Amino acid sequence: MELIPFSLWGDALWCGQEVVREAPHEQAIRSLFPDPIPARGADLDTEADLVPEPHNRFDPRSIAVRVQGKVVGYLPRDDAHRYHPVLSELVAQGLQPRVPCHLWVSEWEPADWDGKGAQGTEFHASVAVALGQPHMLVPVNLPPPGSFHLLPPGSGIVVPGSEVHPDVLAPFFRPEGECWAYATMHAIEEEDSIQDRHRIVVEIRLDDEPVGRLSARLSAEFLPAIHYLADMRAETAARVAVRGDRSASEVILYAARSHDLPATWPDGLARSPVASPQWHYWATKEAN
């Protein structure tokens, strides 16, 4: 079965998770770089697939790190065991977990090489991936039904919504105190009591339940993208983090503003998959 790439959401902003390498992996890493390697070394920012190996005879909970189909190392044993349940669940659903990856290499001649005989070179490499905590790798709810586009990540914005009833956010409370979720962004008209007129602002919804509205100033930074997608008959989706519990909670929006969107945006519309029993289990198991 061919797996569908799925970029883990995570909460890591840089590639800080070490990848363990052994001698056999160095050839695979070296093949990703030009020959010769510059004297100052070379680096590569790319994406890596995290591949559970249940049939690995040394450790059935090992996680291989593959770049362009080549194994460049493994997650450290203890880390692999922490991430194995969620990564294996994604694979079982037909999804291939994918994360940002940074590789750095250098190559030089040993100082004591006299220029005679077989030339030996010293090769050094480091590999790291951006990987959040296990409970922050996937959203806990299903994506919006129908056509939608997920905005690229952006800096966090606390969504005003103190009036939200706790029951609305209750399905998103987790023992860890936080989770990722799909939200949708909607242009709505509201009354401006100060200026005695109406204005268009952005409402944030979780599973079609309103959880807050952005200020008019912030709304103006997202409305162009929302209107554009609406003209394409598609919803605007975004990542949000839900933090807290019934006593105190907040929703934080992580979405790129319209002026920060890349020139190629949007690069395609997504459509929600048919929700299988396995997907439902993954999306709701922490809540039950």
Side-chain angles (χ1 to χ4, degrees):
M1 177 181 66
E2 184 175 354
L3 301 180
I4 301 172
F6 177 81
S7 295
L8 298 178
W9 285 25
D11 55 355
L13 301 179
W14 61 291
C15 294
Q17 170 64 57
E18 171 194 10
V19 174
V20 177
R21 299 167 294 99
E22 296 182 358
H25 304 135
E26 292 190 349
Q27 184 176 356
I29 296 171
R30 179 65 182 82
S31 69
L32 299 172
F33 291 86
D35 190 18
I37 292 176
R40 66 181 183 281
D43 57 4
L44 173 65
D45 287 306
T46 183
E47 290 186 312
D49 290 334
L50 302 182
V51 184
E53 293 186 341
H55 303 298
N56 188 307
R57 62 189 180 95
F58 298 107
D59 184 359
R61 290 186 289 175
S62 61
I63 304 293
V65 179
R66 294 184 183 178
V67 175
Q68 297 179 20
K70 303 173 182 179
V71 177
V72 297
Y74 285 79
L75 294 186
R77 181 183 178 89
D78 289 345
D79 291 324
H81 289 187
R82 291 173 56 228
Y83 288 104
H84 187 269
V86 64
L87 297 180
S88 296
E89 181 69 27
L90 287 170
V91 171
Q93 295 172 31
L95 303 174
Q96 174 56 67
R98 183 166 289 179
V99 293
C101 179
H102 180 80
L103 302 95
W104 181 85
V105 297
S106 61
E107 194 171 45
W108 67 92
E109 295 176 355
D112 58 356
W113 184 58
D114 59 7
K116 300 178 182 179
Q119 180 177 353
T121 58
E122 297 285 344
F123 178 79
H124 176 74
S126 65
V127 182
V129 296
L131 191 57
Q133 293 300 311
H135 68 278
M136 292 292 281
L137 296 183
V138 295
V140 299
N141 60 345
L142 295 170
S147 295
F148 69 94
H149 193 89
L150 182 67
L151 292 178
S155 57
I157 299 172
V158 177
V159 179
S162 58
E163 73 285 356
V164 175
H165 195 280
D167 287 345
V168 173
L169 293 181
F172 299 90
F173 295 146
R174 293 296 184 272
E176 299 87 357
E178 60 181 352
C179 72
W180 283 117
Y182 280 105
T184 52
M185 305 176 69
H186 305 265
I188 66 166
E189 186 178 90
E190 72 172 13
E191 184 177 352
D192 185 342
S193 58
I194 297 178
Q195 299 188 21
D196 193 26
R197 61 184 178 83
H198 290 80
R199 61 186 178 185
I200 303 298
V201 297
V202 173
E203 183 174 79
I204 309 300
R205 300 177 189 172
L206 283 171
D207 293 344
D208 213 30
E209 290 284 349
V211 295
R213 296 177 182 179
L214 302 184
S215 66
R217 180 183 63 82
L218 280 174
S219 293
E221 300 192 48
F222 293 99
L223 284 172
I226 294 173
H227 289 318
Y228 181 81
L229 290 177
D231 289 342
M232 299 174 65
R233 300 183 181 279
E235 279 197 301
T236 302
R239 298 168 173 83
V240 297
V242 180
R243 294 178 178 151
D245 52 30
R246 283 184 173 272
S247 61
S249 61
E250 63 181 4
V251 176
I252 305 175
L253 172 70
Y254 291 91
R257 294 160 168 81
S258 298
H259 63 266
D260 291 328
L261 294 171
T264 56
W265 185 90
D267 53 4
L269 295 178
R271 180 170 291 275
S272 295
V274 175
S276 65
Q278 294 88 351
W279 184 292
H280 273 298
Y281 171 72
W282 163 58
T284 61
K285 62 181 178 179
E286 292 293 340
N288 296 329

